[in-house]
Amino acid sequence: MTERFDIVIVGAGMAGASLAARLAPHRSVMMIEAEDEPGYHATGRSAAFWAESYGGPQITPLTIASGPYLRRHGFLAPRGALTLAREGDRGRIAAFVARFATLGVDVAMLNREEIEARVPGIREGWTAASWEPDCCDIDVAALHAHFLALARRDGAGLRSRARLSAARRERGDWHLELADGATIRAGVLVNAAGAWADGVAHMAGARPLNIAPLRRTVAQVRTDPPVPATLPLVLDIDERFYFKPENGRIWLSPHDETPSVPCDAAPEEIDVATAIARLEEVVDWRAEHVERRWAGLRSFAPDRLPVYGWDPVVEGFFWCAGQGGFVIQTAPAGSALAAALLLGQDVDEPLDPSSYDPARFA
């Protein structure tokens, strides 16, 4: 007999799990996950920081709104974030500070001496920076497990190795076929499939939104001298690198965004080498050994904002996708907003759901 649920969510990464946790107290929910375990792709490959400016001004309200939940449940640890610039870009740093301060971010300008105090061994030429003291490390695995546990507690189900292979709408229900031959019925189909979101939309008869998977590379590197534990997250105003300490090593990215098909992303040697070369432009440390390297796919809508809401054409099809590299840091607020839209509830201020409505691409 085919099981029926009020809501089936395609994908059990951070987007799907956090939404399931919000919906399970109100509706019967099933998450279907293509991989052996949830969180295998983008969720499991995050650089694990929470920074209120990261993702741009229209993401900041979601990040700020997520902060209290993340702090209350113990998922954040203090780190601080430094965004660097050379002398010729001092004006850009000043504009960055002004823009985000207006949005409520605690951010200030630093001079060369203050930069040196935070980044030992910094090379000549990096003379301007912004400082965000509220930036934190985020325990991604614990947060994901937390949302899965909440969903399970309130009755939501999870099927792994359950890749969606067909979907059709008939008499007010979705009839879903899985790759293993099983079938499920649902009143609402939620697209939280990350890099596979456009494919799920096409399968369901909805217009794909050109959600693009972009590969991001991270390497764990042992350096000489060792990375100080007090080092902040360090980014640059041109988005060419970021790095942060992790258990005596450095996590380092060239901030790459290489277009990709949806896949199990793997790092390219050239991207790891680029990351190290850019690190050596910033500090006088020597990269002794690359201990680990990995890549993940960050999926973006054309305007680089998330997509939360009902499809404008296909009945019963709900989008929770396009959340780029900020799905982790915005999960509490993003899932609350998406759940309110799906359940027909009021959305908490100051979030504006029209900014994220899939109908904006119609």
Side-chain angles (χ1 to χ4, degrees), residues 112 115-116 118-124 225 279-285:
R112 171 69 189 188
I115 297 169
E116 290 174 349
R118 289 169 171 82
V119 186
I122 190 160
R123 294 190 184 277
E124 296 288 334
L279 173 71
E280 292 174 346
E281 292 176 14
V282 181
V283 290
D284 62 8
W285 316 336

Side-chain angles (χ1 to χ4, degrees), residues 10-298:
V10 183
M14 190 66 76
S18 58
L19 183 56
R22 302 289 192 181
L23 295 173
H26 308 282
R27 301 287 190 274
S28 61
V29 177
M30 172 61 74
M31 292 174 280
I32 56 173
E33 168 58 51
E35 304 297 343
D36 292 349
E37 298 290 340
Y40 176 75
H41 290 287
T43 297
R45 308 179 194 194
S46 167
F49 58 79
W50 181 86
E52 291 166 320
S53 66
Y54 194 72
Q58 288 180 281
I59 304 303
T60 294
L62 288 166
T63 307
I64 290 177
S66 296
Y69 186 99
L70 295 169
R71 291 188 184 93
R72 183 167 67 251
H73 292 282
F75 297 120
L76 299 181
R79 172 59 55 198
L82 193 75
T83 299
L84 288 169
R86 298 183 185 276
E87 184 61 33
D89 286 323
R90 181 174 294 274
R92 292 175 63 197
I93 287 287
F96 178 95
V97 169
R99 182 186 315 125
F100 286 102
T102 301
L103 295 172
V105 178
D106 184 358
V107 57
M109 290 276 289
L110 297 186
N111 59 32
R112 171 69 189 188
E113 291 72 23
E114 292 167 318
I115 297 169
E116 290 174 349
R118 289 169 171 82
V119 186
I122 190 160
R123 294 190 184 277
E124 296 288 334
W126 300 97
T127 57
S130 69
W131 172 245
E132 295 174 60
D134 293 338
C135 173
C136 291
D137 294 335
I138 184 167
D139 191 333
V140 177
L143 179 62
H144 187 224
H146 166 80
F147 283 128
L148 288 172
L150 288 181
R152 184 170 56 248
R153 182 197 67 187
D154 289 320
L158 168 64
R159 293 188 60 163
S160 298
R161 300 185 209 90
R163 184 178 299 278
L164 183 67
S165 61
R168 75 179 190 280
R169 184 80 172 172
E170 186 177 296
R171 297 180 182 178
D173 261 1
W174 286 101
H175 295 254
L176 308 174
E177 297 179 17
L178 307 183
D180 64 3
T183 59
I184 303 176
R185 290 170 54 212
V188 173
L189 181 62
V190 174
N191 185 2
W196 286 261
D198 268 5
V200 169
H202 178 76
M203 197 181 301
R207 184 173 71 89
L209 300 183
N210 295 320
I211 293 178
L214 304 176
R215 190 179 70 237
R216 169 63 51 86
T217 305
V218 181
Q220 178 174 299
V221 179
R222 186 178 73 238
T223 63
D224 180 24
V227 179
T230 56
L231 186 76
L233 169 68
V234 179
L235 312 95
D236 82 317
I237 197 67
D238 288 326
E239 298 185 344
R240 296 177 65 249
F241 61 79
Y242 58 75
F243 54 87
K244 57 173 278 195
E246 185 71 21
N247 296 322
R249 304 296 190 257
I250 194 169
W251 278 10
L252 170 65
S253 174
H255 214 287
D256 49 329
E257 291 191 341
T258 305
S260 173
V261 297
C263 66
D264 184 359
E268 299 281 349
E269 287 299 327
I270 185 62
D271 294 323
V272 175
T274 297
I276 292 172
R278 290 177 181 175
L279 173 71
E280 292 174 346
E281 292 176 14
V282 181
V283 290
D284 62 8
W285 316 336
R286 185 169 64 88
E288 288 192 321
H289 180 58
V290 177
E291 296 181 337
R292 293 173 55 210
R293 65 202 80 197
W294 64 95
L297 297 182
R298 300 143 41 90

